[in-house]
Amino acid sequence: MTGVILHYNEGAEPSDVNSREREAESLHDEVLTRLRNVIVEGQLAPGARVPEKELCAEFGVSRTPLREALKVLAAEGLVELLPNRGARVRRFTEQDVRNLFEILAALESAAGRLACTRITNAEIAAIERLHYEMYGHYMRRELPAYFRLNQAIHLGIVDAARNPALKETYEGFTARMRQFRYSANTIARDRWGEAMREHELMLDALRRRSSEELGSILFDHLLKKFEAASQTLRRSADDNGQ
Amino acid sequence: MTGVILHYNEGAEPSDVNSREREAESLHDEVLTRLRNVIVEGQLAPGARVPEKELCAEFGVSRTPLREALKVLAAEGLVELLPNRGARVRRFTEQDVRNLFEILAALESAAGRLACTRITNAEIAAIERLHYEMYGHYMRRELPAYFRLNQAIHLGIVDAARNPALKETYEGFTARMRQFRYSANTIARDRWGEAMREHELMLDALRRRSSEELGSILFDHLLKKFEAASQTLRRSADDNGQ
DNA sequence: CTTTGAAGTTTTGCATGCATTTTTTTGTAT
DNA sequence: ATACAAAAAAATGCATGCAAAACTTCAAAG
């Protein structure tokens, strides 16, 4: 498919494992996706230099597509470009993460506003079902399932805003924050109930198609989510004596 | 103007002509900025193929940094990458522009919310002064000066949100829309008064530090701005028989 | 010991080279 | 003419080459 390209990926089989779905993806795109994952998943520590040669070997490509990907990641803010010193994985401060959460809150809040004017009754019903299912997981303290449904609800609202550019931007930012997800997906016992109540308010505002209410609730909900997550994070950091 | 740039950098002194201010800018960064300007300013028509060779000649660089810039512009959505067929300048539909305006509205609305909790009284006073100055231009029907002040006020609010990442994202989106500015900076006579009134409400909400109000006003204000601009645009398109 | 610094090594940024693919041109049959 | 096919030309995607910059190493001086 990609061709025989002798030296590198003979045994590599780029087509089967990594590129799910998309057929003819450019090397650049594939490297971009893979490198972003490497960084977001923390395989490359924050603050670490990005070793071009090693990554080229690992990905089986030359430096050209890798460096193209690095420029894009730099534009996304995942990586810093040091003049004549290559790239380094960006280290996020707590303030950085807060700033990103506020951007997410901005996008999702606006999505909620727009959704109120554009969502169909069927979609509202679908979100209601997700809500009740999530409530069940909440009652049974099934955290992973709860988070899955939670995310589905938020995505449903973003979808209902009927704005692909907004959705794409939103997803871009959530992807960048997957590296903090481990903490965001922990939830303090007392926060959980509050979050559930906020979701009830969201559903109520959505049913009444109250743009302003839903926008406000979502905004505050996201900021509180950050506060809770950062507290959890700080606590676990303290536990480690760090 | 583009400069002599013969072989490479013998007498090159990159610091003097081309890089205003910033000293050691990488070729990649400079090409990125320049190419973005070329596209946003419409020197490369929407839908047109991006001619790598010509641009390389014009910028005096090889294809490598140019192509790196193209990948970044593609990630920004200014350019589309066609497999094996290079890049083409993205053509924005009215719906695309609406979507972008909604994102801008999201960001600025959130900035307003945050600003209410973080802005200093001195900054509020500064924005008030801008407001009154803008009012003078409104009364005297001085459109360019009005728009300048208008923009300063909006930027002041974004600044007061104390979120550099938000500001950067906001500026990124406004830059991308500078190509539609010609229409956004036209304002229908009847819309002007309404916009001015909305600004009065904004200032009032800001004085009272009412996050929700300011967020709502800004959101609606931006969407109305789009509606007005797109109407103006459509009208002028009709006039041209298009 | 710590500093200095010169020579060697690696890394970086960019230009160039080359196999493919796409586009254009040209030629031929309908 | 119009449609199609073969050939030629150009553009694209990626690998590689190379000079300059940044790191190492290690020995001599303080």
Side-chain angles (χ1 to χ4, degrees), chain A residues 199-212:
Chain A
H199 267 268
E200 285 158 15
L201 294 176
M202 277 165 44
L203 189 55
D204 185 54
L206 188 60
R207 278 201 204 95
R208 288 181 289 109
R209 294 173 180 275
S210 169
S211 291
E212 315 228 323

Side-chain angles (χ1 to χ4, degrees), chain B:
Chain B
M1 169 85 325
T2 44
V4 193
I5 314 192
L6 21 162
H7 306 117
Y8 316 115
N9 38 1
E10 11 237 299
E13 240 86 279
S15 47
D16 53 3
V17 180
N18 265 310
S19 57
R20 17 177 163 196
E21 322 204 70
R22 320 180 230 191
E23 282 301 322
E25 191 172 89
S26 69
L27 270 196
H28 157 73
D29 251 351
E30 183 176 334
V31 167
L32 176 57
T33 305
R34 291 230 268 161
L35 185 50
R36 190 172 14 230
N37 280 342
V38 164
I39 290 173
V40 166
E41 290 170 10
Q43 295 182 241
L44 229 46
R49 292 267 290 268
V50 178
E52 288 189 10
K53 266 192 90 179
E54 280 164 46
L55 290 169
C56 286
E58 185 180 331
F59 294 162
V61 301
S62 79
R63 288 172 55 220
T64 304
L66 186 93
R67 300 186 97 252
E68 289 170 353
L70 279 175
K71 309 299 182 188
V72 173
L73 294 177
E76 288 180 9
L78 275 180
V79 136
E80 291 168 323
L81 262 30
L82 315 175
N84 288 314
R85 302 177 60 202
R88 93 172 1 152
V89 178
R90 176 158 164 207
R91 190 193 299 279
F92 286 89
T93 66
E94 184 179 338
Q95 185 60 47
D96 289 328
V97 180
R98 178 194 304 272
N99 289 342
L100 289 179
F101 257 90
E102 287 175 358
I103 292 173
L104 264 190
L107 297 171
E108 203 170 322
S109 165
R113 280 179 185 274
L114 298 169
C116 281
T117 72
R118 294 168 186 174
I119 195 170
T120 65
N121 288 331
E123 284 174 307
I124 293 181
I127 287 180
E128 272 177 342
R129 280 192 297 276
L130 293 175
H131 178 89
Y132 289 124
E133 194 179 341
M134 182 175 82
Y135 182 69
H137 295 307
Y138 161 70
M139 289 300 288
R140 280 171 263 127
R141 294 291 185 267
E142 294 160 353
L143 199 59
Y146 171 85
F147 273 118
R148 197 168 34 75
L149 269 296
N150 187 337
Q151 210 175 325
I153 290 171
H154 284 276
L155 236 200
I157 290 173
V158 172
D159 271 325
R162 309 277 189 266
N163 184 329
L166 172 57
K167 180 174 177 180
E168 200 181 309
T169 307
Y170 174 79
E171 286 178 335
F173 277 98
T174 52
R176 270 178 248 179
M177 304 219 312
R178 220 172 299 294
Q179 52 190 318
F180 312 113
R181 186 55 62 96
Y182 66 96
S183 56
N185 272 12
T186 289
I187 192 168
R189 193 48 70 93
D190 51 329
R191 167 67 190 145
W192 203 349
E194 191 184 15
M196 193 66 225
R197 246 173 294 128
E198 285 165 13
H199 267 266
E200 284 157 15
L201 294 177
M202 278 165 43
L203 189 55
D204 184 55
L206 187 60
R207 279 201 204 95
R208 287 181 290 109
R209 293 172 181 278
S210 169
S211 291
E212 315 229 323
E213 274 183 64
L214 184 55
S216 286
I217 294 165
L218 278 167
F219 193 81
D220 293 339
H221 179 69
L222 269 277
L223 292 196
K224 281 181 187 159
K225 180 169 180 169
F226 165 74
E227 293 300 341
S230 76
Q231 250 191 312
T232 302
L233 187 62
R234 240 185 323 241
R235 242 178 249 151
S236 73
D238 286 349
D239 289 351
N240 296 341
Q242 220 224 356

Side-chain angles (χ1 to χ4, degrees), chain A residues 33-157:
Chain A
T33 305
R34 291 230 268 162
L35 184 51
R36 187 167 23 223
N37 279 344
V38 164
I39 290 173
V40 166
E41 288 169 12
Q43 295 181 239
L44 229 46
R49 291 268 290 270
V50 178
E52 289 189 9
K53 265 192 93 177
E54 280 165 47
L55 289 169
C56 286
E58 186 180 330
F59 293 162
V61 302
S62 80
R63 287 173 55 222
T64 304
L66 187 94
R67 300 186 96 253
E68 288 171 352
L70 278 176
K71 309 299 181 189
V72 174
L73 293 177
E76 287 180 10
L78 275 180
V79 134
E80 291 167 325
L81 261 30
L82 315 175
N84 288 315
R85 303 177 61 202
R88 97 171 0 152
V89 178
R90 175 156 166 210
R91 191 192 299 278
F92 286 90
T93 66
E94 184 179 337
Q95 184 61 48
D96 288 330
V97 180
R98 179 194 304 272
N99 289 341
L100 290 180
F101 257 90
E102 287 175 356
I103 292 174
L104 265 189
L107 297 171
E108 203 170 323
S109 165
R113 278 180 185 275
L114 297 169
C116 282
T117 72
R118 295 169 186 173
I119 196 171
T120 65
N121 288 332
E123 283 174 306
I124 293 181
I127 288 180
E128 272 178 343
R129 281 193 296 278
L130 292 174
H131 177 89
Y132 289 124
E133 194 180 342
M134 182 176 82
Y135 182 68
H137 296 307
Y138 162 70
M139 287 300 288
R140 280 170 263 128
R141 292 295 185 266
E142 294 159 355
L143 198 59
Y146 170 85
F147 273 117
R148 198 168 32 75
L149 270 295
N150 187 336
Q151 210 175 326
I153 290 170
H154 285 275
L155 237 201
I157 289 172

